Amino acid sequence: MSCSYKLLIKNAKQVVLVCNNAEKYLTKSGMQNLCVIENGSVVIDRNGLIRAVGPTDAISRQHPDTSFDKVIDATGMCVLPGLVDAHTHPVWAGDRVHEFAMKLAGATYMEVHQAGGGIHFTVEHTRAAAASQLMSSLSSRLARMQRAGTTLVECKSGYGLELETELKMLEVIDKARELLPINISSTYCGAHAVPKGKTVAEATTDILQVQLPALREKIAAGTLSVDNIDVFCEHGVFDINSTRQILQSGKDMGLNINFHGDELHPMNSAQLGAELGALAISHLEEVTDEGITAMAKSKTAAVLLPTTAYILRLPQPRARDMLEAGVIVALGSDFNPNAYCCSMPIVMHLACVNMKMSMSEALAAATINAAYALGRSHTHGSLEVDKHGDLLIINASRWEHLIYQLGGHQELIRYVIIKGNIVHQNDTVSSL
């Protein structure tokens, strides 16, 4: 009996599955030994799910009479899973390019923040922006990420710091999830900073007694979808006790804990996250040995952000120590007005050069482990049967070129595919 499927990709020089035994994440040697098929093909069904992946000859034998809506001959090219960006702040208004000059002149992150810039500058402009304006800019930013190979992205609120604007941001993210092809994990980050004129205690009370109850009501009514809760746990922002209260309240609502920790100072955020059963903690430039041990034991993912350390001239996150301890290491772009990077290929390159990760480790961190950090590794992050047909096809004979060629992804990426649909096609790719 003949079948009809959506897409066949055939004759690829390499198909990088990443893993092939339904692993939820990879650590240690698993990140060094990725599953790669030479001369492979991929079949995607009408539901946008991977129906088969394997050597081209085997796929041809399995589907002799199958018809396809679209066939891509990937001869000489490589197929990889769609990239997963596990940490972004893409909903905001206002331009902070002037702050880059301040940082180049030596101003620290907190000095810019205390001078009225940073998060508070963006909060002022985001509060004043219409939802339609935020949706337009978000759509543009997500399209840029998609063209760079990202097919699943975490999107945070956090530039409102009060109920009305936080809800406006989350509703814009929800609308983007509905209208755009890119997959989105939504994060409430109302504790991104302490609002001007409030103390930490007052801000914490507002989140616990006003913002989270309103969020819970909308989620229960089915009018809003939120996946994660985030807090910026840092000196001068939210202390460890306030962070604990907010994260626990979010967890009690069914949200995954995925928060900023140990970025500028060792706050023992890693230990707190492990204790609370956090799915992920981001930044970790100042994590302690005890924090690394705790995260490895609790299977809390470390979402490392090499762009932030690079732009702010911070110490690099201790990726090698985490990897050797068995921590689940993931990557994110930290796209925001302070770290304006839409490209996960550049993030992977920086992770290799500055954090001493191998290319295999970086790809695993930007696919299966980043998906794990978002609670999506059962559907995303690798090319396995029944997972989403989200993938890239690059015009190179080895997959490593996606990382090796700094800033070269625009010329390398031939196709970006989400659930079997071509969402980006570049017919002007360059040869090596």
Side-chain angles (χ1 to χ4, degrees):
M1 181 178 176
S2 63
C3 297
S4 176
Y5 290 139
K6 183 181 289 187
L7 178 64
L8 170 66
I9 302 162
K10 65 179 184 178
N11 301 323
K13 181 71 170 63
Q14 293 183 315
V15 177
V16 185
L17 280 66
V18 173
C19 48
N20 65 347
N21 288 308
E23 294 95 338
K24 293 181 180 178
Y25 54 81
L26 296 177
T27 58
K28 294 189 173 181
S29 63
M31 296 181 74
Q32 292 282 14
N33 300 294
L34 304 184
C35 183
V36 180
I37 295 173
E38 302 289 337
N39 190 23
S41 296
V42 183
V43 174
I44 299 176
D45 68 19
R46 296 201 171 280
N47 294 318
L49 304 180
I50 296 171
R51 181 55 48 210
V53 57
T56 292
D57 289 347
I59 296 299
S60 298
R61 287 194 301 270
Q62 292 168 15
H63 299 274
D65 301 317
T66 303
S67 62
F68 298 93
D69 293 350
K70 175 78 174 176
V71 176
I72 296 175
D73 187 344
T75 298
M77 295 186 273
C78 292
V79 179
L80 300 87
L83 303 177
V84 180
D85 191 340
H87 184 121
T88 80
H89 303 259
V91 186
W92 44 269
D95 187 351
R96 280 166 52 187
V97 67
H98 61 284
E99 291 181 11
F100 190 48
M102 296 171 65
K103 292 166 197 158
L104 294 177
T108 67
Y109 176 88
M110 290 308 292
E111 286 169 347
V112 172
H113 185 74
Q114 290 160 2
I119 292 173
H120 288 307
F121 178 92
T122 303
V123 166
E124 178 182 347
H125 287 79
T126 305
R127 285 177 176 177
S132 58
Q133 177 188 345
L134 295 177
M135 180 64 192
S136 177
S137 59
L138 173 61
S139 298
S140 176
R141 292 161 189 161
L142 293 179
R144 290 179 66 178
M145 294 178 188
Q146 189 174 276
R147 288 194 295 272
T150 296
T151 58
L152 168 61
V153 58
E154 185 257 12
C155 297
K156 301 180 189 294
S157 68
Y159 293 120
L161 311 183
E162 39 80 11
L163 178 60
E164 181 181 357
T165 308
E166 289 296 316
L167 285 178
K168 177 173 66 176
M169 295 179 72
L170 290 169
E171 287 165 354
V172 165
I173 293 169
D174 239 12
K175 186 174 181 182
R177 176 155 38 189
E178 176 187 347
L179 297 179
L180 304 179
I182 195 167
N183 299 282
I184 292 174
S185 179
S186 174
T187 300
Y188 163 72
C189 189
H192 197 195
V194 176
K196 288 183 178 179
K198 285 191 174 181
T199 64
V200 173
E202 290 169 340
T204 301
T205 298
D206 181 67
I207 290 167
L208 295 175
Q209 297 185 5
V210 178
Q211 295 188 40
L212 284 177
L215 214 64
R216 183 188 300 113
E217 184 177 328
K218 285 186 171 289
I219 292 170
T223 57
L224 186 65
S225 179
V226 182
D227 303 297
N228 317 293
I229 186 164
D230 191 354
V231 176
F232 188 7
C233 182
E234 183 54 70
H235 287 321
V237 194
F238 288 88
D239 59 33
I240 203 83
N241 291 326
S242 295
T243 299
R244 178 192 299 275
Q245 292 180 66
I246 295 167
L247 293 178
Q248 185 62 57
S249 294
K251 183 177 180 180
D252 292 344
M253 289 170 51
L255 302 179
N256 293 319
I257 296 176
N258 189 330
F259 72 110
H260 293 59
D262 295 330
E263 178 182 359
L264 304 175
H265 300 90
M267 299 286 294
N268 292 329
S269 300
Q271 294 93 314
L272 173 64
E275 176 192 335
L276 295 177
L279 189 57
I281 306 172
S282 292
H283 285 289
L284 299 164
E285 287 85 352
E286 297 291 340
V287 70
T288 62
D289 291 343
E290 294 78 11
I292 290 174
T293 299
M295 290 182 68
K297 184 176 180 180
S298 66
K299 303 304 178 188
T300 298
V303 180
L304 305 185
L305 310 169
T307 51
T308 308
Y310 169 75
I311 289 168
L312 294 179
R313 298 167 173 168
L314 299 174
Q316 293 291 326
R318 295 164 55 194
R320 289 257 52 94
D321 290 341
M322 296 182 205
L323 290 164
E324 288 164 14
V327 174
I328 302 163
V329 173
L331 290 171
S333 70
D334 196 18
F335 175 82
N336 72 83
N338 172 62
Y340 205 111
C341 177
C342 301
S343 168
M344 285 302 291
I346 288 178
V347 169
M348 290 190 288
H349 182 100
L350 291 174
C352 292
V353 174
N354 292 339
M355 300 196 307
K356 300 184 170 73
M357 294 177 72
S358 70
M359 287 188 283
S360 293
E361 288 171 336
L363 184 62
T367 53
I368 190 67
N369 287 1
Y372 173 84
L374 302 179
R376 301 280 188 92
S377 61
H378 60 294
T379 53
H380 296 80
S382 63
L383 299 182
E384 298 180 81
V385 171
D386 291 333
K387 283 195 168 185
H388 285 212
D390 297 356
L391 50 88
L392 319 181
I393 303 176
I394 66 169
N395 190 39
S397 59
R398 292 184 60 88
W399 68 263
E400 292 94 339
H401 278 280
L402 186 63
I403 299 174
Y404 161 63
Q405 294 190 28
L406 176 60
H409 56 272
Q410 291 179 328
E411 286 74 35
L412 274 175
I413 296 174
R414 181 68 183 273
Y415 296 98
V416 179
I417 294 166
I418 296 179
K419 294 202 78 174
N421 298 310
I422 298 170
V423 298
H424 173 62
Q425 180 172 346
N426 180 10
D427 294 326
T428 60
V429 291
S430 302
S431 300
L432 298 180

